[in-house]
Amino acid sequence: MSNGSFNDSALTQEAFPVEGEMAPVSEPSDTRERPTPHRSKLDELLKNTKLPEGDLESANEALHKYRSWVSQMKQVDATGDELVKAYVDLLNTYKRSIEVDLIWDSESDFLFRQRGQLKIDNSIIEEFLPWLIDPRVIPQLKEQDLHAGPAPAFAAAYFSSSLTASASDIAMKVRRKDQDFTVSRRAYLKASFEPNFPPSATSSAAVWLAYVAAECKTNLDKTMFQEASATSHDLKVAVPAARYYLICEYLDMTPISTAGTDIDEVLIIRGKRLGSNKRKEYASAAKRRLLRNEYVDYLDANPIRYDVLKRFVDHLRSLFEARDPSEEDVVAKGYF
């Protein structure tokens, strides 16, 4: 948000800088600049002074594999569900290399114990989802001025001024909710006590209106579900037409109905989380070496599921297919 610097004749992106790196969905897939939250985590890892020297080579190799993964996705020549399937296959191959070759096979415990804080593997899905928002998958995107990626989604606007405040200070504030994935549109706001919005007495802000929002979790537990319930409500109050999804790799709770929440659907893309007793067995590098085959078998049995990600894509497709019903159809059917 900026105060006192609004130019009434220039409603441009430059006048309203928008937070967040987003991919314009209508641009050609092979040249589109997409957000890279996972790449950022790999770069941060290589700069981390706590990274054991023995892990430096594998971290550099992971960055090389990352570049190869992105390059392969850019080269996929397919459309529709075939493209989604090809992307998911490449995602599984790359994610396994990070989970096993980089983290599990490390001779130290740093990467395994700090994986939640470092967000090396659990940022992969966040970076992957914008690849699905492609005109070759959803043709209607060619005609849309939309962006896909992580964003600080608009949740509310309020005013901190009081009755005794200066007439030049309306003090508009904007509240945002950081979301791992959105399909958003830019919006530009201004407020003033003066009808002609003089620059010296105007508050302005640029926001992302999230029409689709998703939170990505590695392991979904009850606390995370409750937090998402609150966030989904805030975003839908701000944009009633929005859709909100929870996308988790592993379920770590007893399923709860979303009927009493503003969450449209919880998507489990891998399976059920390993029990705590089993996870304790993996605490040391020595034990992980002994139990490597067991863990690899578990990953093989729980790949990222194409059918679940296709379901997510189908939800998005349906948003663009929705149309106001015709009067003739409504009268014939008797409902709408």
Side-chain angles (χ1 to χ4, degrees), residues 1 7 41-42 74 78 108 114 123 127 130 136 138 147 163 181 200 214 218 220-221 227 235 272 277 300 312 336:
M1 185 188 72
N7 182 343
K41 296 304 179 184
L42 288 176
K74 286 183 177 181
S108 71
Q114 299 299 316
S123 58
E127 181 158 333
R136 294 177 297 167
I138 307 173
H147 292 71
L163 279 174
F181 170 78
S200 61
T218 301
L220 179 63
D221 60 26
E227 291 172 350
L235 294 185
K272 183 174 176 58
N277 290 338
D300 288 345
F312 179 58
F336 70 95

Side-chain angles (χ1 to χ4, degrees), residues 179-198:
Q179 294 298 290
D180 294 329
F181 170 78
T182 69
V183 179
S184 300
R185 180 173 285 144
R186 293 187 183 97
Y188 306 97
L189 313 177
K190 63 176 181 176
S192 177
F193 289 120
E194 303 293 334
N196 60 341
F197 298 97

Side-chain angles (χ1 to χ4, degrees), residues 124-136:
I124 296 174
I125 299 297
E126 184 179 331
E127 181 158 333
F128 172 76
L129 289 177
W131 286 82
L132 300 176
I133 312 305
D134 188 307
R136 294 177 297 167

Side-chain angles (χ1 to χ4, degrees), residues 4-308:
S5 61
F6 177 74
N7 182 343
D8 190 49
S9 64
L11 289 175
T12 65
Q13 185 176 355
E14 290 72 23
F16 290 89
V18 182
E19 300 175 36
E21 181 188 2
M22 300 277 275
V25 300
S26 59
E27 291 187 3
S29 178
D30 57 343
T31 59
R32 184 186 316 157
E33 290 294 329
R34 296 177 177 83
T36 56
H38 173 60
R39 165 65 189 266
S40 297
K41 296 304 179 184
L42 288 176
D43 290 339
E44 290 172 13
L45 178 65
L46 287 168
K47 296 174 184 176
N48 193 324
T49 57
K50 296 181 180 179
L51 180 68
E53 187 175 346
D55 289 328
L56 186 58
E57 182 179 349
S58 57
N60 276 297
E61 179 63 21
L63 186 57
H64 173 75
K65 290 178 179 178
Y66 166 82
R67 295 191 182 105
S68 176
W69 172 51
V70 171
S71 176
Q72 289 177 66
M73 286 199 291
K74 286 183 177 181
Q75 294 172 25
V76 174
D77 183 14
T79 59
D81 293 343
E82 183 182 345
L83 178 59
V84 176
K85 180 64 166 62
Y87 279 166
V88 172
D89 288 344
L90 290 171
L91 171 64
N92 271 310
T93 299
Y94 175 69
K95 200 167 194 309
R96 179 184 170 124
S97 75
I98 295 296
E99 291 173 334
V100 177
D101 301 342
L102 175 63
I103 297 173
W104 188 270
D105 288 343
S106 171
E107 294 294 324
S108 71
D109 294 324
F110 175 75
L111 290 174
F112 187 83
R113 291 180 179 175
Q114 299 299 316
R115 62 193 304 182
Q117 287 70 39
L118 296 172
K119 299 186 182 299
I120 301 301
D121 53 330
N122 57 15
S123 58
I124 296 174
I125 299 297
E126 184 179 331
E127 181 158 333
F128 172 76
L129 289 177
W131 286 82
L132 300 176
I133 312 305
D134 188 307
R136 294 177 297 167
V137 175
I138 307 173
Q140 295 91 333
L141 291 174
K142 292 179 181 177
E143 306 163 4
Q144 302 293 327
D145 180 22
L146 298 171
H147 292 71
F154 174 76
Y158 61 98
F159 302 92
S160 61
S161 56
S162 65
L163 279 174
T164 57
S166 167
S168 65
D169 186 15
I170 193 169
M172 180 177 69
K173 308 291 184 182
V174 170
R175 187 157 58 89
R176 300 172 172 87
K177 292 278 189 177
D178 289 334
Q179 294 298 290
D180 294 329
F181 170 78
T182 69
V183 179
S184 300
R185 180 173 285 144
R186 293 187 183 97
Y188 306 97
L189 313 177
K190 63 176 181 176
S192 177
F193 289 120
E194 303 293 334
N196 60 341
F197 298 97
S200 61
T202 298
S203 288
S204 61
V207 297
W208 290 113
L209 296 184
Y211 291 92
V212 176
E215 194 71 15
C216 302
K217 302 294 185 184
T218 301
N219 305 296
L220 179 63
D221 60 26
K222 190 173 181 179
T223 299
M224 294 175 184
F225 182 86
Q226 292 170 338
E227 291 172 350
S229 297
T231 298
S232 64
H233 178 73
D234 288 345
L235 294 185
K236 287 195 174 186
V237 168
V239 184
R243 297 290 183 270
Y244 189 93
Y245 300 93
L246 257 179
I247 300 176
C248 69
E249 293 187 49
Y250 301 103
L251 187 66
D252 193 23
M253 58 178 273
T254 301
I256 301 173
S257 172
T258 60
T261 75
D262 286 306
I263 299 171
D264 286 275
E265 194 163 77
V266 178
L267 297 162
I268 304 161
I269 60 175
R270 298 189 81 164
K272 183 174 176 58
R273 190 184 188 189
L274 285 168
S276 58
N277 290 338
K278 175 57 64 177
R279 297 199 304 271
K280 287 178 182 177
E281 295 181 17
Y282 300 154
S284 70
K287 269 301 199 64
R288 290 195 297 276
R289 282 194 296 274
L290 290 174
L291 300 173
R292 186 182 192 275
N293 289 340
E294 173 185 286
Y295 182 69
V296 168
D297 288 344
Y298 171 72
L299 294 182
D300 288 345
N302 294 278
I304 293 168
R305 296 185 286 191
Y306 158 73
D307 60 324
V308 180

